[in-house]
Amino acid sequence: MKKLYISMMLLGAMAFSSCDMDLKPVGTLDDETAIQSTQDMRKFRNTLYTNLRSVTSGAYVYLTDIQLDGFNGLISNGNNLSDFSYGQIYPTNSNVTGYWSSNYVMISNANALIDKADLLSATSDFTDKEKMVFARYKGEAQFTRALGYYNLVEHFSKPYTQTDPNATASGVPLVTTYSPTDDVKKYPGRATLAETYALIESDLQAAYDALKAYEESGYQDKYTEKYETDKTAYLTSYAVAAMQARVALVKGDYQTAWDKATSIITSNKYKLVLRSAYKKMWKNDTGTEIIFQPFMSDKEKGGSNGGVFQKKDETDPYYIPNYGTLMMFVENEGDIRYDAWFTTYNDFRIEGESYKAYIFCKYPGNVAINTIENEFINKTKVFRTSEMYLIAAEAGAHLGGDKLSQANKYLNDFCKKRYTGYQDKTYSAAELIKQTLAERKREFLGEGMLWTDLRRTNQGFQRISNFDIGDPEFDKINNVMFKVGKNLKYEAGDYRFTWPIPKDEIDSNPQMKGQQNPGY
């Protein structure tokens, strides 16, 4: 099968064949006849949600965690993801290529819907209410495009706060219209980082305005009433605001990060879950603090977030939390996340020997999704209120002044829901930032968030792998960890904090010549 890159994306991504990208499957619509009615728009809008489910689950979530300091591979894992675990990442890596192409496919679909929404809304063939729905769908597509470009720039470009955002070819190629062509001269090269983030922010603001207007109208058609019963499965203005807060924090725009995060907190719409309900949130994918989690069912599944960490028969997992990760939770007494996210496998075998190890079980598998066998698939909580509390705490500490006391309160309020017996503390600005980053590392373990934190704050890492807890049964696991990468260390600014542009993209797009990232 031919691989899809930005150059091929411009040839169209409306329909895909599993065997030949040049063949159109029977019954599909081409770009001339697709999306001619309200029903067509709704169906194609569902495609965007399928894209969102894909790029927010499975390896898209945990891949950078495997690359960083939280987990170590066992010698029985068949070298699964070993290149990331070893720190040996190349432009030919299939995961790098897949991440690049999948986000551009999603962007292409978003472009197609945006273009069609504008075209249909400009005619007199539809009612005002139908056009309001089109505006909503367009807003969802603009959010989707923004997320796609954010994913790309946060993996394939240097961090915004640690480089010149106006440097030539520092961002990623930008495509904002659905315009199929086989003219390689029209394929875009890399934009600047500033241009890339300007598009992301513009799209998010437009998405926010559109979804806010739709919500305030109170309009719901029969389709919405029948199918959109799980409000966390669909984008809202709150989800867009959460994304705006995340983007602003990555850029070091602390005022916007503060404004957006606190607007969600003070709305009281998404309250932090009680400590007693925390484990249930991860097991059953329910809870008051979930702002957005793409729809999944037993028939429409996303990728497995937990499959590389767990086995249904409790045999040897691919990756285990290392000693440093476990100690990070143990050092603060009463952390409910320790009991919720870690368990033990007491008797699994590697090369004929019996081993015992701590296992990361943050994604235990939702029984409503894993109906036949447990594939450790849970809905990915793309945005939840806990992130907003931690963004507000960090941003408020940076802003200082009258916001410092409120920032302390946000961290304290968060910690009260994560620690039994927690007592309020008051920190200086510098210490509050340090404590907040430590909480982010704990809270988002296995969710891919540490990657952006290390990049934007210009920090490195050192794996603390060897178990030394004084129990021979647990310490024995040291013998079957991969030696390569066991004590992996990245200095601050290591070139591997930015992934390589896929080789196939460089080869197929003449505008990308000479635009590979340093170190590759």
Side-chain angles (χ1 to χ4, degrees), residues 284-394:
N284 299 333
D285 301 325
T286 58
T288 55
E289 69 181 66
I290 300 170
I291 301 172
F292 176 57
Q293 56 179 7
F295 172 81
M296 289 189 194
S297 70
D298 59 336
K299 295 180 176 61
E300 297 178 85
K301 301 177 181 178
S304 171
N305 293 358
V308 297
F309 305 113
Q310 301 163 84
K311 292 287 186 69
K312 62 182 180 180
D313 53 1
E314 296 194 2
T315 54
D316 50 305
Y318 290 160
Y319 287 88
I320 62 171
N322 56 36
Y323 183 72
T325 293
L326 292 171
M327 291 302 103
M328 180 173 66
F329 289 89
V330 172
E331 66 186 8
N332 292 326
E333 187 176 355
D335 192 331
I336 64 170
R337 293 166 294 195
Y338 181 76
D339 290 332
W341 294 349
F342 300 96
T343 187
T344 57
Y345 285 1
N346 292 306
D347 185 21
F348 61 88
R349 293 189 172 272
I350 298 177
E351 297 182 346
E353 291 285 330
S354 176
Y355 291 90
K356 184 176 183 178
Y358 290 95
I359 304 301
F360 182 59
C361 59
K362 189 174 190 175
Y363 308 108
N366 186 329
V367 294
I369 298 171
N370 303 268
T371 55
I372 298 176
E373 63 175 342
N374 194 354
E375 300 175 76
F376 302 102
I377 298 174
N378 285 87
K379 298 178 184 179
T380 302
K381 294 142 197 65
V382 181
F383 302 110
R384 60 184 194 277
T385 316
S386 60
E387 182 185 1
M388 299 303 105
Y389 273 84
L390 295 175
I391 287 177
E394 184 180 347

Side-chain angles (χ1 to χ4, degrees), residues 155-257:
H155 289 79
F156 296 98
S157 293
K158 292 182 179 180
Y160 193 96
T161 57
Q162 306 301 322
T163 191
D164 176 7
N166 293 302
T168 302
S170 54
V172 296
L174 301 180
V175 183
T176 57
T177 59
Y178 182 73
S179 53
T181 179
D182 58 2
D183 184 356
V184 297
K185 295 179 181 178
K186 295 182 178 179
Y187 298 163
R190 297 178 68 172
T192 68
L193 197 56
E195 290 168 336
T196 306
Y197 269 98
L199 175 59
I200 292 169
E201 291 174 315
S202 175
D203 270 348
L204 288 177
Q205 188 58 52
Y208 180 85
D209 292 341
L211 292 176
K212 189 72 171 177
Y214 176 81
E215 292 159 4
E216 290 179 345
S217 74
Y219 175 71
Q220 282 194 328
D221 56 21
K222 292 181 179 179
Y223 177 89
T224 303
E225 293 175 352
K226 183 176 180 179
Y227 294 107
E228 296 186 18
T229 55
D230 179 5
K231 301 304 181 184
T232 67
Y234 293 89
L235 292 167
T236 64
S237 62
Y238 292 99
V240 180
M243 183 68 187
Q244 289 175 306
R246 183 183 292 178
V247 169
L249 187 70
V250 165
K251 285 188 64 184
D253 177 2
Y254 299 116
Q255 186 63 58
T256 300

Side-chain angles (χ1 to χ4, degrees), residues 20-39:
D20 191 337
M21 293 294 295
D22 296 330
L23 298 179
K24 186 186 301 179
V26 175
T28 60
L29 301 174
D30 61 30
D31 61 328
E32 296 297 325
T33 60
I35 317 182
Q36 298 296 315
S37 68
T38 306
Q39 186 178 19

